[in-house]
Amino acid sequence: MKHHGPMKHRESEIDLPRYPYVHVDVRSEQVELISLKLFESGALGVEERTDETMSKAEGGEVTLVASFSCFSDAERAIEALGAELAGSLQVVHGDAWRDAWRRFFQTTKIGSRLVVLPSWGAYVSTADEVVLTVDPGYAFGSGMHESTQLALAIIESRIQGGESVLDVGCGSGILTLATLLLGAKRAVGIDLDPVAIEVAKTNLTHSGFTDQVELSTCAITDIPGEYDLVVANIEADTLTHMATSLLAKIKPGGRLVLSGILAHQEDAMRPCFEGLADLEVHPQCDWIAMTARK
């Protein structure tokens, strides 16, 4: 058994950003439908608050709290909800956002071996477990979202050792970290958000990976070479737009893993896999991941 303790942090010199959230009160039977509407409007994640969990607003059995990357998406989501639901826009500043996540980010077992551990937590692992110690900071990728869990479970089943990996939209670096811990030889992670790259560097450095990984804000078209495994956990519209670039980065015999796809978007995603073999769909709740081989 191995003990995993809290990660030591250094203060970031990056200015704390502001994050838009949409709060909407719904009846319990509306949760699934309204959550889907929020995701379709561009939500990065949706949290359910009840009296038994975190404090909720008055007027409904459940308060849904949807996070967005920009204020225009949040405002459009409120318009899409309509006057009957009356969603409200709220703003969270840097550390408050991170501290709110800490209240419900728990140690999570994924697949048969992977364990996602918050960097401020502690865990005693068994000999066969692979522990991913992460702090999502201001980036997506805590391991709590179904799309991330799907991608992690697939990675666990695909990595045999010695692979090269490209993680597109790496966020906190959680998927990159998983591949290296499972035995990948080298990994490249890219994200358009420089804050995400800093978060990923911290997480990967804490786990001892510096020489085997390259992280940057480069566009996928500027990344040289081909890879044994290309993984992207991004919302479906973005995946379809970059499909050609993703396919170009897969070695012959290599695999593509796409996550961040709502179940009803499967048919629209299938053209992204033209020319690939062994197409598989992996479901979890309202989400799917899709895999194929070049």
Side-chain angles (χ1 to χ4, degrees):
M1 293 188 177
K2 183 177 179 181
H3 179 267
H4 301 262
M7 182 192 301
K8 292 182 179 180
H9 298 277
R10 57 185 175 82
E11 292 297 322
S12 173
E13 296 178 357
I14 300 173
D15 291 337
L16 297 181
R18 299 164 68 241
Y19 295 91
Y21 283 76
V22 171
H23 289 220
V24 56
D25 292 338
V26 300
R27 299 187 304 276
S28 56
E29 63 268 23
Q30 294 178 296
V31 167
E32 182 174 350
L33 175 61
I34 304 305
S35 294
L36 284 173
K37 285 187 176 181
L38 289 165
F39 279 118
E40 289 171 345
S41 297
L44 302 176
V46 178
E47 173 197 345
E48 299 176 24
R49 296 184 181 180
T50 68
D51 287 331
E52 288 73 34
T53 55
M54 300 172 72
S55 60
K56 69 181 190 67
E58 298 295 332
E61 297 174 357
V62 181
T63 296
L64 298 178
V65 181
S67 59
F68 291 83
S69 61
C70 64
F71 285 89
S72 59
D73 284 350
E75 289 164 353
R76 280 194 294 269
I78 292 173
E79 291 179 4
L81 291 173
E84 181 181 351
L85 290 171
S88 63
L89 178 63
Q90 300 191 26
V91 178
V92 174
H93 295 260
D95 283 336
W97 177 86
R98 181 173 60 188
D99 293 341
W101 272 90
R102 287 190 175 198
R103 291 201 291 269
F104 65 91
F105 181 12
Q106 304 295 324
T107 301
T108 305
K109 182 74 175 284
I110 298 171
S112 60
R113 300 173 60 201
L114 293 176
V115 177
V116 179
L117 174 68
S119 64
W120 52 91
Y123 183 76
V124 179
S125 61
T126 62
D128 63 336
E129 287 180 329
V130 176
V131 178
L132 286 71
T133 302
V134 297
D135 184 342
Y138 310 119
F140 179 78
S142 67
M144 301 293 287
H145 194 275
E146 289 92 339
S147 66
T148 308
Q149 293 178 5
L150 279 166
L152 285 170
I154 293 167
I155 285 170
E156 181 189 72
S157 68
R158 294 290 189 266
I159 294 292
Q160 301 298 313
E163 293 90 349
S164 58
V165 177
L166 174 61
D167 181 2
V168 181
C170 64
S172 69
I174 187 171
L175 302 183
T176 305
L177 177 59
T179 64
L180 292 170
L181 286 170
L182 288 165
K185 183 178 181 179
R186 68 183 185 93
V188 173
I190 59 174
D191 200 296
L192 295 179
D193 183 358
V195 175
I197 294 300
E198 290 303 313
V199 171
K201 284 180 180 178
T202 298
N203 286 322
L204 285 152
T205 300
H206 171 77
S207 293
F209 296 108
T210 52
D211 297 337
Q212 293 170 259
V213 63
E214 180 182 343
L215 300 166
S216 75
T217 57
C218 287
I220 185 172
T221 51
D222 294 331
I223 298 297
E226 296 176 331
Y227 298 80
D228 297 304
L229 179 67
V230 176
V231 58
N233 179 21
I234 311 173
E235 58 96 21
D237 286 344
T238 302
L239 292 174
T240 56
H241 288 140
M242 64 169 54
T244 301
S245 298
L246 289 166
L247 297 182
K249 296 303 173 186
I250 312 169
K251 283 184 179 179
R255 291 188 177 272
L256 175 67
V257 178
L258 302 184
S259 193
I261 307 162
L262 288 163
H264 74 271
Q265 297 170 323
E266 177 183 340
D267 290 342
M269 291 296 300
R270 285 184 174 271
C272 297
F273 296 88
E274 290 182 358
L276 299 184
D278 302 334
L279 176 62
E280 297 180 17
V281 179
H282 309 259
Q284 183 172 332
C285 299
D286 299 316
W287 296 87
I288 60 169
M290 303 178 75
T291 63
R293 179 177 56 83
K294 189 170 185 179

